[in-house]
Amino acid sequence: MKTDPDKLNQLREVVEDVFGLKPVTPTNFDNLSYQIFSTTGHKVGVSTLKRFWGYVKSPYNATHTTLSILARYVGYRDWDSFCSQYRGDEDSDFLSSRLIIASDLSLRSSVYVEWESEKWLRLIKINQPNIFEVTESKNIKLLQGDIAEIDTLIIGEKFIARDCRRNGVVLGTYIGARKTGIKAIQSH
C-alpha cells in the first residue's frame, strides 16, 4: 500500500517543530535519533532518518514501524492515529483560548502549568527569550532545578519543553499533556 506523500510531509514538519529545527547535517540527524529514543524508548537509525528527509537518496520508503515511532515522538499513538487525527492546515483556526508567549514575559516571571489535577509544574523565566527553570513539579518527569526552552503555552495543547537539562546533562525534549492538553496556565 502506497503512503500518502502529503501525510509524510506533514509528519516531517511536525517532527521538525518538536525537534526545533529541520535536520540538515549529520549532527542534526544524530541528535534527532537520540531525541526520538529519549522520548519514545524506540530507536530510529540515523541512516533511516537521513533517507526519510532526503538527505541520502534511497529507493526504499519508510516502514510503517518507523512512521509509527516518529508519530509517537510527536505525541500520537502510531502512524495510523497520526493519519486519522492530524489535519495540518485543514484544521487551522484562530486561538480564542489562553495563550502565553515566553518571549513576552519579563525575567523572573513565574508561570504555573497544569494538565491533570495531579500533574503540574511551576517555572521561572531565567533568561531571554525563552529559558525557564522548574521551581516545583508534581507527578511529571521534569524536576526542580531542570532548565528548558519553552516557546509557547496554550490551553488545550501539549506542553513542549526543548533542550531540557538537569545538572548540565542534556535530557532532550519533554512533551507533557499529550492526552489531555494543558488545562490551566497562570503567569505573574
Side-chain angles (χ1 to χ4, degrees), residues 116-134:
E116 293 178 26
S117 61
E118 297 298 316
K119 291 187 177 189
W120 55 266
L121 78 160
R122 291 186 194 281
L123 305 160
I124 190 163
K125 185 172 180 178
I126 61 170
N127 208 344
Q128 294 289 5
N130 61 352
I131 309 298
F132 290 83
E133 180 177 341
V134 177

Side-chain angles (χ1 to χ4, degrees), residues 34-42 72-74 141 172-175 178:
Y34 174 78
Q35 291 292 321
I36 291 167
F37 179 73
S38 295
T39 302
T40 68
H42 297 278
R72 271 187 233 127
Y73 173 67
V74 299
K141 294 178 182 175
T173 299
Y174 173 82
I175 303 175
R178 286 182 182 195

